[in-house]
Amino acid sequence: QLLLVESGGGLVQPGGSLKLSCAGSGPTLDYYTIDWFHQAPGKEREGIGCIVGSGEGTFYADSVKGRFTISKDSAKKTVYLQMNSLRSEDTGVYYCAAGWAPTMTFCTLPHPNGTYVGWGQGTQVTVSS
């Protein structure tokens, strides 16, 4: 089990930016693919992007491509979700989840029913004027 702690959510105006963090426990995140999910009010959780353990492979859902960027600081054992050009439909709770994948060089659209060794607690993002 891997403990993930998220932070960085808040209230932002449409068109604004936020940067979420997903910090991991344990000695390293380099053996895990970190997936990001968005759960809008009243809707199911959906995958929006991922980054592989090396940090050299990422994937984004069409809904966030070009606006969101996932990055990683291995030394800090933290993965970031930079969200730009935020829209009202981006409102919701954002979760990160870790999947054991020590040799993966690419990742694909995450699914909430995937196999994960840890989930973050979620952080609320509200996009409103």
Side-chain angles (χ1 to χ4, degrees), residues 48 59-66 87 109:
I48 57 171
F59 181 92
Y60 301 94
D62 288 343
S63 59
V64 305
K65 194 177 298 181
R87 307 165 179 168
L109 185 66

Side-chain angles (χ1 to χ4, degrees), residues 4 10 16 26 30 32-33 38 49 53 60 75 78 88-89 105 108 111 114 129:
L4 299 173
D30 291 351
Y32 302 90
T33 291
H38 169 230
Y60 301 94
T78 300
S88 57
E89 55 263 39
T105 58
T108 57
H111 193 285
S129 55

Side-chain angles (χ1 to χ4, degrees), residues 4-8 20-23 36 94-97 119-123:
L4 299 173
V5 179
E6 299 179 50
S7 59
L20 307 184
S21 299
C22 175
W36 284 94
Y94 285 77
Y95 298 89
C96 61
W119 283 86
Q121 81 283 9
T123 186

